[in-house]
């Protein structure tokens, strides 16, 4: 085979991998849409069901507990049924949740349907990185793994755009009637459309060759490898078998070590938790309420939320361009430094808010500072921790424990997400500037943790991890 033919074949394989990785990442789009769409409906839900801030916070955060459960169980199900089958289960749960959330009788069944959607989010957040890491060539794995985060931020942006468009059509309020339903109900129902597309794509893309080898389906694995790998399929199958080493189905008990868990598992869990403890999802879950609390009208606050999502997308694209060039660890270090500075500056700006009852207003100059520093925080997060955490969880663990460790790491991320989300309303009411200073402290902790404990994974094959 000539050099040109080899290059052409390699390009064809890469194009095919990009397409199936993109299809798998649609679960990330739904992940972002589902977790963010509630943002535009928070005040309307509170008014519609006549509930206080505490119960509203519980309803919003209910999905996150479901996400932790979904992430924890996804690994075991994926090892029994296969990666694509699990994607189909997640898609079906997304559809059911979207319809149920749009038609609740009380705030309690709304919370229940949010939990169902949360389980789907948790499953998608675990299976997307796992599948992409298993089909991606080592030299492109960082960029392909980044598609998951790109899909997440696109989902967030689309949810903000949909919320704004629906609210505008209803006269600027999510509480207004729009046809047979309230506007906030349409916001939640629209998710069923991309969920149906995800279900269809999950039935088309091929199964992971690593799963097929572990399940004894060698011929199918060979066919898939011939489509996604330029290397010899039989050599790759042997490499996968050697790495699997005749392993039994992974269990959480396999993660035990001298300190309760294996060191690599502790590192993965810490990375997953720190990604949330910097407070990133407060921007998306409560951004409308946050900007309204400093005097921005509802219609304009929804636009600011969309602006934040655009910044998030730009940062994610930067990370995709750099993750395989400069590596995972340098990106995390730079991101931690940037987030620490931006969060501290945001807290400082909000310390100048004038509070009167339940309203707070920032002087124009400090409002501009708060907007710029909050946007800088989102950019620094998106260009580093937003992408790299998911890439690392998909690749950093040795094959023997990957599914179980990835499930535990993802579940940790969702528990941390829930803790931040459910505590923010109370912390916001207590002292908003101090809240941002606390998040800045966690960003600083993340810097020292990465420098001390994280090993670079750039350019290594999945079968080399743990060596």
């Amino acid at each position: 085979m000539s050099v040109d033919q080899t290059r052409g074949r390699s390009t064809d394989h890469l194009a095919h991998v990009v397409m199936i990785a993109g299809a798998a990442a649609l679960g990330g789009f739904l992940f972002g849409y589902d977790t963010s769409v509630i943002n535009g409906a928070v005040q309307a839900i509170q008014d519609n069901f006549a509930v206080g801030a505490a119960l509203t916070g519980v309803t919003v955060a209910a999905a996150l507990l479901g996400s932790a459960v979904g992430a924890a169980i996804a690994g075991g199900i994926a090892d029994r049924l296969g990666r694509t089958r699990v994607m189909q289960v997640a898609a079906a749960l997304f559809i059911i949740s979207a319809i149920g959330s749009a038609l609740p009788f009380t705030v309690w069944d709304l919370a229940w349907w949010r939990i169902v959607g949360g389980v789907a989010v948790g499953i998608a957040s675990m299976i997307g990185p796992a599948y992409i890491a298993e089909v991606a060539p080592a030299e492109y794995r960082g960029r392909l793994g980044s598609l998951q985060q790109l899909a997440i931020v696109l989902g967030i942006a689309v949810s903000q755009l949909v919320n704004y468009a629906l609210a505008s059509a209803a006269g600027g309020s999510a509480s207004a009637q729009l046809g047979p339903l309230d506007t906030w109900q349409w916001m939640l129902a629209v998710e069923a459309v991309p969920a149906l597309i995800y279900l269809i794509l999950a039935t088309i893309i091929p199964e992971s060759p690593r799963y097929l080898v572990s399940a004894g389906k060698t011929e199918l694995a060979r066919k898939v490898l011939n489509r996604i790998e330029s290397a010899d399929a039989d050599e790759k199958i042997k490499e996968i078998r050697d790495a699997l080493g005749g392993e039994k189905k992974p269990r959480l008990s396999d993660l035990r070590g001298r300190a309760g868990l294996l060191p690599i598992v502790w590192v993965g869990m810490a990375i997953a938790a720190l990604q949330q403890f910097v407070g990133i999802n407060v921007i998306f879950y409560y951004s409308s309420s946050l900007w309204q609390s400093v005097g921005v009208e509802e219609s304009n606050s929804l636009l600011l939320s969309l602006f934040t999502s655009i910044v998030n997308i730009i940062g994610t694209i930067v990370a995709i361009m750099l993750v395989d060039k400069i590596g995972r660890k340098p990106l995390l270090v730079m991101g931690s430094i940037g987030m620490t500075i931006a969060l501290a500056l945001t807290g400082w700006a909000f310390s100048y808010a004038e509070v009167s009852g339940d309203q707070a207003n920032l002087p124009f100059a400090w409002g501009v500072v708060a907007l710029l520093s909050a946007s800088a925080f989102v950019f620094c997060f998106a260009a580093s921790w937003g992408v790299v955490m998911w890439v690392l969880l998909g690749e950093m663990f040795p094959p023997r424990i990957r599914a179980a460790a990835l499930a535990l790491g993802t579940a940790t991320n969702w528990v941390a997400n829930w803790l931040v989300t459910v505590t923010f309303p109370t912390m916001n009411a207590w002292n908003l500037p101090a809240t941002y200073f606390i998040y800045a402290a966690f960003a600083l902790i993340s810097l020292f943790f990465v420098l001390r404990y994280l090993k670079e994974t750039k350019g290594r094959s999945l079968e080399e991890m743990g060596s």
Side-chain angles (χ1 to χ4, degrees):
M1 185 178 293
S2 68
V3 173
D4 287 341
Q5 288 176 316
T6 301
R7 287 177 179 172
R9 183 177 177 182
S10 178
T11 301
D12 290 342
H13 285 132
L14 180 58
H16 185 67
V17 171
V18 170
M19 286 190 291
I20 63 176
L26 185 55
F29 178 91
L30 288 161
F31 165 173
Y33 190 98
D34 188 272
T35 54
S36 180
V37 70
I38 197 73
N39 175 61
V42 168
Q43 190 62 51
I45 290 170
Q46 189 169 336
D47 295 341
N48 185 77
F49 294 108
V51 295
L55 187 53
T56 302
V58 170
T59 303
V60 171
L64 303 179
L65 293 180
S67 298
V69 172
I73 66 175
I77 299 174
D79 282 325
R80 287 192 294 272
L81 302 180
R83 282 44 168 165
T84 56
R85 185 69 68 187
V86 170
M87 292 181 200
Q88 294 166 21
V89 171
L93 291 176
F94 276 123
I95 295 171
I96 294 170
S97 171
I99 297 172
S101 296
L103 302 171
F105 297 101
T106 68
V107 71
W108 296 110
D109 47 300
L110 173 60
W112 164 251
W113 292 119
R114 292 290 297 158
I115 291 173
V116 172
V119 173
V121 168
I123 292 173
S125 67
M126 182 272 173
I127 201 62
Y131 178 87
I132 294 172
E134 289 180 354
V135 300
E139 63 270 25
Y140 298 107
R141 193 176 58 242
R143 276 167 282 183
L144 291 175
S146 301
L147 291 178
Q148 171 82 355
Q149 180 64 15
L150 179 61
I152 292 171
V153 299
L154 287 173
I156 291 170
V158 170
S159 75
Q160 305 281 7
L161 185 59
V162 168
N163 285 351
Y164 178 73
L166 289 171
S168 297
S173 174
S175 299
Q177 190 85 7
L178 190 62
L181 302 174
D182 288 347
T183 304
W184 67 267
Q185 292 176 282
W186 287 113
M187 291 176 176
L188 301 179
V190 168
E191 184 181 359
V193 176
L196 180 60
I197 296 173
Y198 182 43
L199 177 61
I200 294 171
L201 291 176
T203 63
I204 297 174
I205 61 176
E207 183 54 82
S208 158
R210 286 175 175 81
Y211 166 76
L212 292 172
V213 171
S214 68
K217 301 178 180 180
T218 306
E219 282 305 313
L220 282 176
R222 184 176 290 107
K223 290 179 180 179
V224 174
L225 286 168
N226 281 329
R227 294 293 305 277
I228 66 175
E229 289 273 0
S230 56
D232 182 75
D234 289 325
E235 289 183 6
K236 192 64 182 178
I237 289 172
K238 182 180 183 301
E239 184 180 354
I240 294 171
R241 280 177 175 161
D242 291 342
L244 293 173
E247 66 175 289
K248 60 183 183 299
K249 295 295 181 184
R251 301 171 298 177
L252 290 179
S253 59
D254 297 329
L255 308 182
R256 291 175 184 165
R258 291 182 179 179
L261 295 171
L262 296 170
I264 188 66
V265 177
W266 282 120
V267 172
M269 291 174 64
I271 292 292
L274 286 168
Q275 193 220 35
Q276 291 300 318
F277 285 157
V278 298
I280 185 63
N281 280 313
V282 168
I283 299 292
F284 302 118
Y285 292 126
Y286 291 101
S287 57
S288 293
S289 299
L290 176 62
W291 288 108
Q292 286 176 59
S293 75
V294 293
V296 180
E297 296 297 324
E298 180 182 4
S299 59
N300 290 330
S301 68
L302 288 172
L303 274 178
L304 285 171
S305 296
L306 180 59
F307 169 75
T308 302
S309 295
I310 293 173
V311 173
N312 199 7
I313 292 170
I314 294 172
T316 301
I317 292 173
V318 171
I320 292 173
M321 294 171 62
L322 297 178
V323 66
D324 281 324
K325 291 183 178 179
I326 69 173
R328 286 58 159 157
K329 189 169 182 174
L331 271 183
L332 291 182
V333 168
M334 290 187 290
S336 293
I337 294 172
M339 289 190 301
T340 301
I341 296 171
L343 284 167
L345 188 57
T346 303
W348 184 27
F350 276 119
S351 70
Y352 287 88
E354 298 176 1
V355 180
S356 176
D358 294 331
Q359 297 296 318
N361 293 281
L362 272 171
F364 177 77
W366 285 109
V368 172
V369 171
L371 176 59
L372 293 177
S373 59
S375 299
F377 163 59
V378 171
F379 176 83
C380 291
F381 176 89
S384 58
W385 283 78
V387 165
V388 177
M389 191 280 291
W390 293 111
V391 172
L392 283 172
L393 287 188
E395 69 182 10
M396 69 186 292
F397 304 113
R400 182 179 60 84
I401 63 167
R402 179 170 295 118
L406 175 55
L408 185 57
T410 307
T412 300
N413 183 261
W414 283 112
V415 170
N417 191 334
W418 175 79
L419 286 172
V420 171
T421 303
V422 79
T423 58
F424 178 75
T426 302
M427 294 175 68
N428 181 21
W430 162 65
N431 191 317
L432 185 58
T435 300
Y436 275 93
F437 289 137
I438 290 171
Y439 297 149
F442 277 110
L444 186 60
I445 290 171
S446 73
L447 170 63
F448 291 110
F449 183 86
V450 168
L451 290 173
R452 175 66 178 83
Y453 295 107
L454 187 67
K455 294 182 179 179
E456 182 59 68
T457 57
K458 171 190 170 186
R460 302 173 65 192
S461 73
L462 289 184
E463 286 69 39
E464 293 174 332
M465 297 300 174
S467 60

